[in-house]
Amino acid sequence: QVHLTESGGGSVQAGGSLRLSCAASGYTSVTNCVVWFRQVPGKEREGVAAIVTYGHYPMYYADSVQGRFTISRDIHKNTVYLQMNSLNLEDTGMYFCAAEPLSRCGDDWYDSTRYDYWGQGTQVTVSI
């Protein structure tokens, strides 16, 4: 059973930065797809960025965060990070990480129905 724990959320002023972490346990393979999603009340969960936990594969970003957010991994710590810079009000939301074992993500990485394993979420609030 894969277990995911997010951390690093908080309140920040517009233009500021935060780094989220997604620590995983229970993987039975090294090649897993990990995705950051975010959600605000009344809206669907939105895929933000995706990475494969091992090997040389593309990283994926939503258009809305391209150039501002960076997803990365620490193989030894089984942790995926989301560095968020130049935050704006539209980045406010609950951020979740999700995992798909034995996966290289692929072009439909943003489809939340693919993922069986989710963390509890960490809140990010951006204010003026």
Side-chain angles (χ1 to χ4, degrees), residues 108-121:
D108 61 343
W109 60 273
Y110 51 83
D111 180 359
S112 63
T113 64
R114 284 177 49 176
Y115 303 95
D116 292 330
Y117 301 104
W118 292 83
Q120 81 289 349

Side-chain angles (χ1 to χ4, degrees), residues 21-125:
S21 300
C22 173
S25 63
Y27 286 139
T28 58
S29 70
V30 296
T31 307
N32 313 288
C33 177
V34 176
V35 183
W36 283 100
F37 287 87
R38 64 186 179 191
Q39 189 167 26
V40 295
K43 291 191 176 182
E44 290 188 1
R45 203 163 283 191
E46 174 193 13
V48 175
I51 193 168
V52 181
T53 54
Y54 185 80
H56 299 285
Y57 297 100
M59 291 176 281
Y60 301 89
Y61 295 95
D63 290 344
S64 58
V65 306
Q66 183 78 42
R68 299 187 298 122
F69 290 11
T70 302
I71 193 168
S72 63
R73 69 195 183 191
D74 185 322
I75 297 170
H76 301 293
K77 294 184 179 179
N78 262 343
T79 299
V80 169
Y81 303 98
L82 186 68
Q83 177 67 43
M84 307 187 295
N85 298 330
S86 302
L87 286 161
N88 58 51
L89 299 180
E90 289 69 38
D91 295 318
T92 292
M94 184 69 79
Y95 282 70
F96 300 88
C97 62
E100 183 178 62
L102 292 168
S103 170
R104 300 172 183 177
C105 294
D107 291 340
D108 61 343
W109 60 273
Y110 51 83
D111 180 359
S112 63
T113 64
R114 284 177 49 176
Y115 303 95
D116 292 330
Y117 301 104
W118 292 83
Q120 81 289 349
T122 186
Q123 177 68 35
V124 171
T125 303

